[in-house]
Amino acid sequence: MIRLEHVSKTYPASARPALDDVTVDIEKGEFVFLVGSSGSGKSTFLRLLLKEETPTAGSVHVAGKDLARLSHWKVPALRRSIGCVFQDFRLLPNKNVFQNVAFALEVIGKPHHQISKVVPEVLDLVGLEGKSQRMPDELSGGEQQRVAVARAFVNRPMILIADEPTGNLDPSTSVGIMKLLDRINRTGTTVVMATHDAAIVDSMRRRVVELSMGKVVRDQTRGVYGYGA
Amino acid sequence: MRASFVLSEIGIGLRRNLTMTIAGVVTVAISLAIFGAGLLAQRQVSAMKDFWYDKVEVSMYLCGDGSKGANCNGSAVTDEQRSQLLQEVSANPLVAKVYYESQQQAFENFKKQFKGSPDLVQNVTPDALPESLRVKLKDPTKYEDLASAFRDSPGVEEIQDQKALLDPFFRVLRRLQLVAWVVAAIQILAAVLLIGNTIRVAAFSRRRETGIMRLVGASNLYIQLPFLLEGVLVGIVGAAFAAAGLAALKAVLVDRLLKPMLKFTAFVGWRDVIAIVPWLFIVGVALTGISSFFTLRRHLRV
Ligand SMILES: Nc1ncnc2c1ncn2[C@@H]1O[C@H](COP(=O)(O)OP(=O)(O)OP(=O)(O)O)[C@@H](O)[C@H]1O
Ligand SMILES: [Mg+2]
C-alpha cells in the first residue's frame, strides 16, 4: 500500500537531510506508529505520502502509484484516497459540524443527496450523533478532533494519515480518539500515525517505526514507544 | 462542479474584502472608460474623415490671361487644352468625378461664400478668379498621384488639394488619441496590479479553506475557480460602469454640448458607442481573468 525505497529529503534551506535513506514497506490494513524525537522527520515522512513534498532521492509508492511519475493534475485524486488528521484539527470556524464534514465532499464535487446521506453516517461512527449543528467553538478538543476524523474518513479513503492527532488532548480523551482510529483501521483502512504519546503506543501494541535524525533506527511489528519500555 | 458551492464562495470572498473589491471595480471602470473613450475618439476621427473627405476636392486651376505658371506660356488656356484635360482627367482611374467651374461660376460661389463681407465681394470681378476643374478622387489620399500626372500638362496653372488644409487638424486629433491610449494603458496596468493584489489578499484570507480543500483532494480548478470568477466579476461590473460612463459622455458631451456648437461636422453615433461596449467587456474580462490567473498560479499552488 505504501512503499518508500531509499528515500532522502533535504529541504532547500537546510544542510541536514530531514529524511536520510529511508526504506519502509506498509501493507494494506496495517496500523503503523511513527515515533521519534522532535525534528526526526515524521511530518516530512507523511507529507511525502501526500506529495506535498517530493523526495530528493529514492521513490515513494502509494496505492500502487509511483508518486514521482504522478502528474500534477492527478495529485488531487491521490489525496482523495488518503484521509488526514492533524494535531490542530483544522476545522473551519464559521461552519458547523455537519458543514465541516460536508465541505470535504462538496469540494470534490459530490452530489447533494449523497452528502446528506453519508455525513450523518460518519458522524454516528465517530460518536458525534446529535451534535451536527454545533459550531467548532462549542465543542471540546476531543470532539473537534472527532469532527476532523469524520471529515478525513467520510470519503472512505484507503489510507488514513494522522500527525500527532492526540497532541492537544488529555490522556483519557486521547484514548477515545485512538479507539476511533483503531475502529477505522478494522474496516481495512491503512493507518499511519506520527506521535509522541508513549502511553498510547505502548497500549496499542502495533507496528512501530522509529526515526532518528531522519534515519529509520527501529521497525518492530508489535512495538512499544521507547527501547527501555 | 457544484454551482451553488462556487457561487457562495464568490459571495463570501467579495464581501470579505469589500473595500478591495470596490477599489478594483473603480480602477477597472476608469481604465476601461478611458480605453473606450480612446476607441470612441478613433471612431470620431473616422466619422469626421468620412464627412470631410466626402466633401474635399482637388482643384485644378487653369491658366488665365497673364498667368505666371510654367505650363501657361503667359496666355490663357485654350479651348482645345481644356477639353483635352477634361477628357484625360475623367479617364484617369483615380478619379471618381470631375466637373468644370468657369470663372463666372467661381465668382458665384465666391459671392455665396463671402456674403458676410460685401466689401470683399465688391472688389472682385469674375476675371480675377481662375477657371478650374474640380476633381473628386475615389480615394482622397491619392492626391499626390493625380497631381504628378497633371502637374506638367499644358494649360494647368496649379493643382491644390483641399484635404491638405484638413491634415494638421487630423494630426492634432491623432496625437490626442495617442495620449488617450497611453493613459488607458497606464490605467489598465494599475487595474491589473490592483486586481492581482485583491485576489492575493482574498487567497490569503481564505488560506484555511483552500488548505483544507487541497488536503481533501479538491482539484485545482475547484480551488481556484471562485477566486478567478471573483476577479472576472470585478472586471464585468467595472466594464458595465465604463459602458455607462461612455454612454453619458456621448449623450452629454457630444449630443448636448458639441453637436449644437459645431454644426459643420459629423459626430459619432449611438451605433459607434454600441460597437465599443463589447470591447469594454472583452478587455475587462480578459485583463482581470489573466491577472487573477497568474496571481493564483503564484499564490495558490497545489
Ligand atoms: N518546510 C521546511 N523547510 C525547511 N526545513 C524543514 C521544513 N519542514 C521541516 N523541516 C526540517 O526538517 C526536519 C524534520 O522536520 P519534521 O517536521 O519532519 O519533524 P517531526 O519529526 O515531524 O518533528 P515534530 O515531532 O516536532 O513534529 C527538521 O529539522 C525541520 O527543521
Ligand atoms: Mg511533526
Side-chain angles (χ1 to χ4, degrees):
Chain A
M1 179 68 29
I2 297 168
R3 198 165 81 241
L4 280 75
E5 282 171 357
H6 305 291
V7 169
S8 297
K9 171 71 190 177
T10 308
Y11 287 103
S14 71
R16 186 180 71 81
L19 286 179
D20 190 358
D21 195 23
V22 170
T23 299
V24 173
D25 207 331
I26 298 171
E27 296 295 322
K28 182 169 174 14
E30 265 194 289
F31 195 120
V32 180
F33 285 116
L34 217 50
V35 302
S37 56
S38 190
S40 56
K42 304 182 293 295
S43 298
T44 302
F45 184 106
L46 297 180
R47 278 204 293 275
L48 287 176
L49 303 184
L50 293 163
K51 210 177 175 186
E52 278 199 68
E53 300 286 353
T54 48
T56 325
S59 70
V60 180
H61 285 79
V62 174
K65 292 189 202 79
D66 182 354
L67 298 197
R69 297 220 188 129
L70 198 67
S71 64
H72 199 61
W73 58 274
K74 279 188 176 160
V75 171
L78 168 75
R79 292 185 185 157
R80 283 175 204 194
S81 65
I82 304 176
C84 292
V85 181
F86 298 92
Q87 180 171 4
D88 57 358
F89 318 140
R90 300 197 189 174
L91 302 179
L92 297 174
N94 53 344
K95 290 189 191 294
N96 67 28
V97 169
F98 181 94
Q99 290 163 338
N100 260 288
V101 178
F103 184 75
L105 296 173
E106 281 170 356
V107 300
I108 59 173
K110 285 277 191 286
H112 225 293
H113 62 88
Q114 194 180 343
I115 293 175
S116 50
K117 183 169 156 290
V118 299
V119 173
E121 279 173 15
V122 79
L123 287 178
D124 282 355
L125 177 82
V126 300
L128 284 173
E129 53 281 294
K131 296 194 170 126
S132 69
Q133 299 307 313
R134 298 266 197 99
M135 299 306 281
D137 60 6
E138 298 165 350
L139 297 172
S140 73
E143 287 167 334
Q144 287 185 49
Q145 193 61 296
R146 281 169 194 270
V147 179
V149 172
R151 184 180 63 197
F153 191 61
V154 69
N155 199 28
R156 308 286 155 156
M158 292 183 290
I159 300 167
L160 189 79
I161 284 174
D163 196 349
E164 303 184 34
T166 59
N168 278 344
L169 304 175
D170 66 54
S172 65
T173 314
S174 298
V175 169
I177 294 294
M178 286 318 296
K179 281 191 175 144
L180 182 56
L181 293 182
D182 187 42
R183 180 129 49 91
I184 284 172
N185 174 238
R186 283 175 206 284
T187 67
T189 307
T190 310
V191 178
V192 185
M193 170 171 161
T195 187
H196 284 295
D197 196 329
I200 282 173
V201 178
D202 292 346
S203 68
M204 297 275 290
R205 288 277 164 177
R206 296 300 190 98
R207 181 173 169 192
V208 174
V209 174
E210 181 172 346
L211 292 171
S212 172
M213 305 283 280
K215 285 189 195 308
V216 178
V217 294
R218 177 166 61 117
D219 190 345
Q220 274 180 309
T221 330
R222 294 173 65 78
V224 291
Y225 185 74
Y227 283 111
Chain B
M1 182 84 31
R2 285 160 32 90
S4 61
F5 170 78
V6 174
L7 288 179
S8 80
E9 284 289 298
I10 295 172
I12 290 169
L14 288 178
R15 253 177 291 134
R16 197 179 284 189
N17 78 106
L18 196 60
T19 42
M20 286 291 263
T21 305
I22 291 171
V25 168
V26 171
T27 346
V28 170
I30 290 174
S31 54
L32 288 181
I34 295 174
F35 169 70
L39 286 179
L40 205 59
Q42 191 170 34
R43 281 169 174 269
Q44 176 62 42
V45 167
S46 64
M48 283 160 96
K49 275 190 177 158
D50 286 351
F51 181 84
W52 285 108
Y53 283 7
D54 200 43
K55 299 199 168 29
V56 295
E57 294 162 340
V58 174
S59 309
M60 211 178 271
Y61 294 108
L62 304 180
C63 300
D65 288 327
S67 285
K68 301 223 166 40
N71 312 327
C72 294
N73 298 324
S75 60
V77 64
T78 62
D79 288 348
E80 203 174 319
Q81 286 173 335
R82 188 186 300 120
S83 59
Q84 171 85 12
L85 266 175
L86 200 56
Q87 199 181 343
E88 279 177 19
V89 170
S90 46
N92 191 294
L94 296 169
V95 173
K97 223 168 64 188
V98 59
Y99 64 92
Y100 170 72
E101 189 183 76
S102 68
Q103 287 187 310
Q104 189 58 43
Q105 284 165 334
F107 182 63
E108 296 303 325
N109 284 341
F110 183 83
K111 277 202 292 194
K112 220 188 288 166
Q113 235 172 346
F114 294 97
K115 64 171 179 275
S117 1
D119 293 351
L120 189 65
V121 176
Q122 253 157 31
N123 289 327
V124 172
T125 59
D127 292 346
L129 296 168
E131 56 186 296
S132 61
L133 296 183
R134 297 292 165 132
V135 183
K136 177 149 279 307
L137 294 174
K138 284 180 188 147
D139 177 355
T141 61
K142 290 277 163 62
Y143 160 75
E144 213 23 76
D145 296 357
L146 184 84
S148 62
F150 291 98
R151 194 170 281 137
D152 298 327
S153 302
V156 176
E157 186 181 13
E158 199 193 351
I159 301 179
Q160 226 178 48
D161 186 14
Q162 291 180 341
K163 186 175 144 290
L165 305 173
L166 295 173
D167 283 348
F169 176 63
F170 283 121
R171 254 201 304 282
V172 170
L173 282 183
R174 256 204 305 280
R175 244 172 245 155
L176 285 178
Q177 213 178 321
L178 195 70
V179 171
W181 288 136
V182 171
V183 175
I186 294 170
Q187 277 291 327
I188 283 177
L189 183 70
V192 166
L193 295 178
L194 195 72
I195 296 295
N197 202 44
T198 309
I199 298 298
R200 202 168 56 81
V201 170
F204 184 75
S205 74
R206 268 181 284 165
R207 63 194 181 286
R208 210 185 169 87
E209 279 87 344
T210 52
I212 292 167
M213 287 166 87
R214 274 208 323 260
L215 211 60
V216 300
S219 65
N220 242 349
L221 183 70
Y222 223 104
I223 297 174
Q224 297 189 351
L225 196 67
F227 295 100
L228 193 71
L229 291 181
E230 222 171 285
V232 169
L233 195 64
V234 167
I236 290 173
V237 175
F241 277 116
L246 221 54
L249 187 79
K250 151 79 177 145
V252 176
L253 184 70
V254 174
D255 289 355
R256 283 256 184 86
L257 285 171
L258 294 177
K259 240 187 200 165
M261 238 163 53
L262 309 170
K263 290 231 161 64
F264 57 84
T265 182
F267 282 101
V268 285
W270 284 110
R271 190 181 297 195
D272 295 296
V273 177
I274 288 165
I276 288 171
V277 167
W279 286 105
L280 298 183
F281 281 92
I282 290 169
V283 172
V285 167
L287 76 90
T288 51
I290 290 169
S291 128
S292 313
F293 179 77
F294 283 105
T295 312
L296 290 173
R297 265 177 53 136
R298 279 192 51 201
H299 295 281
L300 214 63
R301 285 264 175 79
V302 174

